[in-house]
Amino acid sequence: DEDHYKVVKRTRDLFSGDFSFSVKSLIPRLEKILNFKLTDHDPVANEAMHIIVRINRPLSTDYNPPHKDIYEGVDKGFIPQFINFWIPIAGVTEKSSLPLAPKSHFINEKDIVRTFEGAHIEGNTYRVRMIKSWEGKSDLVRSKVDYGQVLIFTSHLIHGLAVNDEMDKSRVALEFRLFKA
């Protein structure tokens, strides 16, 4: 655990310059796919986007609970406009990929039960506001993302609880956001 958390601390807040390729060079291609302009700077905080290397060890609690990425902003009085990108690097299988709640971005907020100050699960404290249920449900579906593909999803989509059910493979994925320009 100690070594794992040392790596997580170093890889939790990376930037484009930490990689041997230009993340910014992906922006024009992603703009074409999405049909709107993107920026790598948060227009509200005026900060450069950061990139997270998510490392989930087998059968561990190295994940966030179900959540929407917009809630921190919403709870501060604004709705951030950004898109999430999740790129599998290693160990991503049908037992370890990122779970999503399909079409949950259409669910009315009054039908979502969530926390407002993070969450506590099995002795772990999480920053994200946990969604406990939506329309009385709490089931997630693992996404199918192959190597070389990118999972692109709205910040309004419920996702998380990415338990790695593989017995002997760690899952590694890159995760970042781009903001609507």
Side-chain angles (χ1 to χ4, degrees):
D1 279 353
E2 187 178 326
D3 288 341
H4 173 75
Y5 291 115
K6 284 180 186 176
V7 171
V8 168
K9 187 175 181 181
R10 171 64 183 108
T11 61
R12 177 180 279 327
D13 218 13
L14 300 173
F15 294 89
S16 186
D18 293 316
F19 294 87
S20 61
F21 65 92
S22 170
V23 176
K24 287 184 179 188
S25 70
L26 298 173
I27 292 175
R29 185 166 180 206
L30 296 169
E31 287 175 335
K32 203 170 195 176
I33 292 168
L34 296 169
N35 203 27
F36 56 82
K37 291 287 187 188
L38 297 165
T39 179
D40 65 340
H41 273 75
D42 179 338
V44 175
N46 197 25
E47 296 174 346
M49 70 149 186
H50 64 274
I51 302 165
I52 299 170
V53 178
R54 292 277 186 207
I55 304 169
N56 295 77
R57 296 169 293 169
L59 307 174
S60 70
T61 57
D62 303 332
Y63 54 79
N64 278 322
H67 64 283
K68 289 184 180 185
D69 290 331
I70 60 161
Y71 283 146
E72 189 172 349
V74 167
D75 291 347
K76 291 178 182 174
F78 66 94
I79 298 176
Q81 294 186 336
F82 59 86
I83 299 292
N84 292 317
F85 298 87
W86 191 84
I87 305 170
I89 302 298
V92 178
T93 69
E94 65 279 349
K95 292 181 172 184
S96 67
S97 66
L98 180 65
L100 310 169
K103 301 183 182 179
S104 59
H105 56 299
F106 294 120
I107 296 173
N108 192 308
E109 286 297 318
K110 71 177 180 53
D111 296 322
I112 295 175
V113 178
R114 71 176 182 96
T115 64
F116 288 82
E117 291 297 327
H120 303 284
I121 301 174
E122 296 180 18
N124 293 321
T125 301
Y126 299 93
R127 245 186 57 212
V128 299
R129 279 89 166 136
M130 180 174 78
I131 298 176
K132 297 177 180 183
S133 68
W134 48 95
E135 295 181 327
K137 299 180 287 189
S138 61
D139 51 324
L140 297 162
V141 177
R142 292 221 188 245
S143 54
K144 172 82 170 101
V145 185
D146 292 322
Y147 295 103
Q149 294 182 326
V150 177
L151 180 62
I152 301 173
F153 60 98
T154 174
S155 55
H156 296 262
L157 189 74
I158 298 170
H159 63 285
L161 203 62
V163 176
N164 180 354
D165 286 327
E166 289 290 348
M167 298 301 287
D168 60 353
K169 289 182 192 172
S170 288
R171 184 195 83 201
V172 180
L174 287 181
E175 173 182 307
F176 63 95
R177 300 171 180 167
L178 292 176
F179 296 84
K180 190 169 183 183

